Amino acid sequence: MTAELTTISAHRASYERRFQRVIDYVHENLDRELDLIQLAEIACMSPYHWHRIYQSFYGESLTATVKRLRLQRAAALLAKTEQPIEQVARACGYPNLQSFTRIFSSVYGMPPAKYRKQGSHVQFSASPTIRSSTMFTVVIKEIEALHLLGLPHQGDYMGIGQAFDQLQGIAASRQLFGPHSRSIGIYWDDPSLVEEAQLRSYACLVVSAEQQANQAKAPLQAYDIAAAKCAVLQCQGPYSDMHAAYEWLFGVWLPASGYEAADVAVYEEYLNDPRETSPLELRTDIYLTLRVD
């Protein structure tokens, strides 16, 4: 590698590290007021220019990132817990319940209390009789092998967005986006058996074999998904629905399907971009690898 390429690579890595610090700080402080000047200091960049650089890396403004992450956290808390709505609002950086209700309603199409009772997650977690009679789309597919580059995440699966946000910046820095690009989340552990803090997952980008060979450098790790027969559950709606969707897939569909699950991690493919798509319009395919005798 020439001295010029070495310098470019080092400069790119510096940007990646600085934006990772910003992403980490934002995810860990969503319940606090986030000051753009302070974030510029964390990024060690000019307060005048850094926000423009951030937007070019991540495809959205920092303000839009914070709003998206806060509302994703709120939807997950509403779907998974019985926390009072005022407490949910505070945990997501909204000390004013009225403003939280207004902003949540504008994005999710209904106020928080109604979302908790009638949101799309409810259809998956309804009684067995209702779930069995509800038609969700599961397609059996032969999947080709995939080459991936990704970042590990440990902890609550809903927190994998932090790894995906970091991956977005690194992929933009290394010009990894192209015709092969697809966003994949790999989930190793069963949340009913493994403590939340120990759950393992990977935020991944599908790349070409050449890109994988050339770019599997820290912090990115290479991973391959083998060709297989898979049951694919097609979902539409907020990511907070995913836990209930898994319960339906394993508790209702699989026992009646005649198939057996292979001893392989489940993975998800995200078919549209949460930066550009309403949570109600997000499309996710859940891939369950099937045993072939």
Side-chain angles (χ1 to χ4, degrees), residues 103-162:
I103 294 170
F104 188 92
S105 299
S106 70
V107 174
Y108 281 80
M110 61 183 74
K114 186 175 181 180
Y115 177 81
R116 169 170 276 166
K117 294 179 180 179
Q118 300 179 21
S120 49
H121 58 280
V122 175
Q123 64 186 345
F124 288 105
S125 55
S127 70
T129 301
I130 295 174
R131 290 187 299 168
S132 297
S133 63
T134 303
M135 294 300 293
F136 300 108
T137 303
V138 177
V139 179
I140 306 301
K141 293 183 178 181
E142 296 288 343
I143 306 300
E144 297 181 353
L146 300 175
H147 303 292
L148 309 173
L149 288 170
L151 296 172
H153 170 74
Q154 183 169 318
D156 184 359
Y157 282 156
M158 282 300 297
I160 196 174
Q162 183 171 354

Side-chain angles (χ1 to χ4, degrees), residues 16-50:
E16 292 174 4
R17 289 192 299 271
R18 285 185 281 174
F19 275 126
Q20 284 179 42
R21 290 200 300 268
V22 172
I23 291 297
D24 288 343
Y25 185 86
V26 168
H27 276 264
E28 293 164 6
N29 293 276
L30 288 174
D31 58 339
R32 301 181 182 181
E33 184 176 352
L34 294 170
D35 179 79
L36 296 181
I37 301 300
Q38 181 184 14
L39 293 176
E41 293 175 354
I42 292 171
C44 297
M45 293 183 184
S46 162
Y48 185 76
H49 293 295
W50 91 277

Side-chain angles (χ1 to χ4, degrees), residues 23-286:
I23 291 297
D24 288 343
Y25 185 86
V26 168
H27 276 264
E28 293 164 6
N29 293 276
L30 288 174
D31 58 339
R32 301 181 182 181
E33 184 176 352
L34 294 170
D35 179 79
L36 296 181
I37 301 300
Q38 181 184 14
L39 293 176
E41 293 175 354
I42 292 171
C44 297
M45 293 183 184
S46 162
Y48 185 76
H49 293 295
W50 91 277
H51 191 261
R52 182 177 297 170
I53 300 171
Y54 177 94
Q55 185 159 349
S56 70
F57 267 60
Y58 291 95
E60 65 180 354
S61 69
L62 181 65
T63 300
T65 297
V66 171
K67 177 182 176 181
R68 172 173 57 83
L69 296 178
R70 282 175 168 165
L71 292 180
Q72 283 181 359
R73 174 182 286 183
L77 291 174
L78 290 168
K80 294 171 59 178
T81 77
E82 297 298 324
Q83 291 183 23
I85 293 175
E86 293 87 348
Q87 186 175 339
V88 171
R90 289 194 299 272
C92 300
Y94 294 98
N96 184 299
L97 181 59
Q98 288 71 31
S99 64
F100 170 62
T101 299
R102 183 181 68 254
I103 294 170
F104 188 92
S105 299
S106 70
V107 174
Y108 281 80
M110 61 183 74
K114 186 175 181 180
Y115 177 81
R116 169 170 276 166
K117 294 179 180 179
Q118 300 179 21
S120 49
H121 58 280
V122 175
Q123 64 186 345
F124 288 105
S125 55
S127 70
T129 301
I130 295 174
R131 290 187 299 168
S132 297
S133 63
T134 303
M135 294 300 293
F136 300 108
T137 303
V138 177
V139 179
I140 306 301
K141 293 183 178 181
E142 296 288 343
I143 306 300
E144 297 181 353
L146 300 175
H147 303 292
L148 309 173
L149 288 170
L151 296 172
H153 170 74
Q154 183 169 318
D156 184 359
Y157 282 156
M158 282 300 297
I160 196 174
Q162 183 171 354
F164 271 111
D165 285 340
Q166 292 176 347
L167 181 62
Q168 168 76 22
I170 296 171
S173 170
R174 301 188 188 186
Q175 299 180 325
L176 294 178
F177 294 114
H180 296 278
S181 300
R182 296 159 58 190
S183 292
I184 301 286
I186 303 174
Y187 300 90
W188 293 99
D189 301 307
D190 182 346
S192 65
L193 299 176
V194 177
E195 291 185 9
E196 184 176 276
Q198 302 303 318
L199 293 172
R200 300 167 300 154
S201 54
Y202 270 84
C204 300
L205 184 70
V206 177
V207 295
S208 66
E210 181 180 6
Q211 285 177 316
Q212 187 190 58
N214 293 335
Q215 295 294 334
K217 304 170 185 176
L220 296 184
Q221 300 176 10
Y223 186 81
D224 290 328
I225 293 178
K229 175 181 285 189
C230 292
V232 185
L233 172 60
Q234 300 174 333
C235 301
Q236 179 172 320
Y239 295 142
S240 54
D241 288 356
M242 291 300 102
H243 176 72
Y246 276 89
E247 290 187 342
W248 181 86
L249 179 64
F250 284 96
V252 177
W253 181 84
L254 185 61
S257 69
Y259 290 101
E260 295 287 337
D263 191 20
V264 177
V266 178
Y267 62 96
E268 299 173 1
E269 179 174 5
Y270 310 102
L271 303 179
N272 44 18
D273 189 340
R275 296 167 180 79
E276 303 171 351
T277 310
S278 160
L280 302 178
E281 300 299 323
L282 290 171
R283 293 185 294 119
T284 305
D285 282 350
I286 300 176

